[in-house]
Amino acid sequence: IMSRYINTPVILSPIKKGRRGFPIQRSTRYPEIPTDVNDIYAYTTEGDRLDLLAQQFYGDVSLWWIIATGNPEVLSLNSLFIPVGTEIRIPTNVSLAKSLFNIINRI
């Protein structure tokens, strides 16, 4: 299984007193995902998780953040779990979401 941190850029820490910087993960910012007429709306069931839904709809567990940011009023970025019976939007314009992500994170 792929790490959900795969899209988090790694940067070097600041150099202090002649010491080389060391790799750290930079904070990731997530874009607002605009609604689209092709978006899918579904109610969650027992066992649904953002990473599993990303695998089901996008074929990639690392795209869990697209579903999370597409539902800011009902989902949080600090958990992969979704309450049962929650209506969520599955954004379908993945290329736009990735592009917006890359722009605000300068990838």
Side-chain angles (χ1 to χ4, degrees), residues 13-74:
S13 66
I15 298 172
K16 294 183 181 181
K17 297 182 183 178
R19 293 184 179 174
R20 292 179 38 191
F22 56 91
I24 57 174
Q25 286 187 310
R26 186 175 73 195
S27 294
T28 302
R29 297 180 309 172
Y30 296 97
E32 287 185 30
I33 309 233
T35 57
D36 186 279
V37 295
N38 296 313
D39 289 346
I40 299 166
Y41 290 84
Y43 286 95
T44 58
T45 60
E46 187 73 34
D48 279 344
R49 291 188 344 218
L50 293 176
D51 57 342
L52 299 177
L53 290 171
Q55 179 64 40
Q56 178 183 343
F57 287 98
Y58 309 136
D60 187 343
V61 294
S62 71
L63 298 178
W64 62 271
W65 60 269
I66 295 176
I67 299 170
T69 57
N71 295 277
E73 64 286 346
V74 294

